[in-house]
Amino acid sequence: MSEIPSELKYTATHEWSRLRDDGLVEVGITDFAQNALGDIVFVELPEVEEEVAGEEEVAVVESVKAASDIYAPISGRVVEANDELVDEPERINADPYGSGWIFVIEPTDTEDLDNLLDALEYEEHCAEEEEQH
């Protein structure tokens, strides 16, 4: 089974969210997602200062197998993008919950995080997806 840190929140489309002490929300794709994609070779990052709505496509991750859209888990403004992924997209494979983060959002409302899946709900979602394949 994929690694699913309990302190994070998740989306059904396999993004994770971490509420930082400064009130900003770090976003990346899950271990499950990077496993499914395979070797990641390119990342199209969102524009800093871009206003995004929850569930809106904001970035793209390309692997040797496929391209996958990355969605904003919550509404807000993109305040940072992980520029290191431009030269090292494989960081997402190596460390999806650490140096492989993709962007940071200043949330419109941090309570939006309450609508996301917790680790147990996400684990159940992944198990259902695996059963369907």
Side-chain angles (χ1 to χ4, degrees):
M1 191 69 194
S2 300
E3 181 187 353
I4 303 173
S6 60
E7 73 277 9
L8 303 179
K9 293 294 219 163
Y10 301 89
T11 65
T13 51
H14 306 289
E15 290 84 15
W16 58 262
S17 300
R18 175 185 292 121
L19 181 60
R20 299 191 325 198
D21 292 341
D22 60 7
L24 300 177
V25 177
E26 209 169 76
V27 180
I29 64 170
T30 65
D31 190 37
F32 181 91
Q34 71 82 19
N35 268 328
L37 283 167
D39 293 337
I40 294 171
V41 295
F42 177 77
V43 180
E44 182 181 314
L45 297 168
E47 292 291 321
V48 173
E49 299 300 324
E50 180 181 354
E51 294 286 335
V52 296
E55 301 180 13
E56 177 184 335
E57 177 193 319
V58 294
V60 178
V61 172
E62 291 183 17
S63 72
V64 292
K65 292 186 198 174
S68 184
D69 293 332
I70 307 302
Y71 300 92
I74 60 172
S75 298
R77 182 172 56 91
V78 175
V79 293
E80 193 176 344
N82 189 351
D83 293 330
E84 293 181 2
L85 297 178
V86 173
D87 293 326
E88 297 179 67
E90 65 277 5
R91 281 176 180 238
I92 294 172
N93 294 117
D95 190 12
Y97 301 114
S99 66
W101 63 274
I102 299 174
F103 60 96
V104 176
I105 290 179
E106 180 180 23
T108 306
D109 185 352
T110 54
E111 288 183 12
D112 287 349
L113 290 168
D114 296 339
N115 299 326
L116 301 177
L117 304 173
D118 65 24
L120 185 61
E121 291 166 327
Y122 180 69
E123 187 175 346
E124 290 169 359
H125 173 72
C126 291
E128 287 170 15
E129 270 197 18
E130 285 179 338
E131 284 174 17
Q132 293 170 0
H133 291 108

